[in-house]
Amino acid sequence: MGYIVGAKEQKAIDDAECVNQVLMGNRSAINYYKQGYHDAIEEAYKWIKANTEGGVHPQNAYGFADRFLKEMEK
């Protein structure tokens, strides 16, 4: 299910990029949006990897989502 959701999101991004290139050229706002989205995903990946290496102890799992959200809001 997660793969399908991700594929649909990527298709929407790809479609927007095609429209962007045809209508506006390569330096439009949508390209900056896409880069920002990519950067946010990369930062989320780094945080999750750093905070789950070796597994997550059940005591540390409580509040994990809240800590993740707080970190991503920075």
Side-chain angles (χ1 to χ4, degrees):
M1 191 64 160
Y3 175 80
I4 292 170
V5 171
K8 287 180 179 179
E9 290 173 356
Q10 186 60 50
K11 183 179 182 327
I13 291 168
D14 293 344
D15 289 348
E17 184 177 352
C18 287
V19 169
N20 176 50
Q21 288 177 357
V22 170
L23 298 177
M24 299 180 233
N26 289 331
R27 292 212 179 261
S28 69
I30 200 163
N31 284 326
Y32 294 112
Y33 172 81
K34 184 178 176 185
Q35 185 61 46
Y37 182 78
H38 178 319
D39 293 347
I41 296 297
E42 188 68 25
E43 287 302 311
Y45 168 77
K46 288 177 187 176
W47 188 90
I48 290 171
K49 186 175 179 182
N51 286 276
T52 59
E53 295 244 350
V56 177
H57 191 276
Q59 289 177 330
N60 293 336
Y62 180 77
F64 180 83
D66 292 334
R67 290 190 304 275
F68 173 73
L69 180 60
K70 185 176 180 180
E71 184 65 28
M72 293 303 106
E73 288 176 341
K74 289 182 181 179

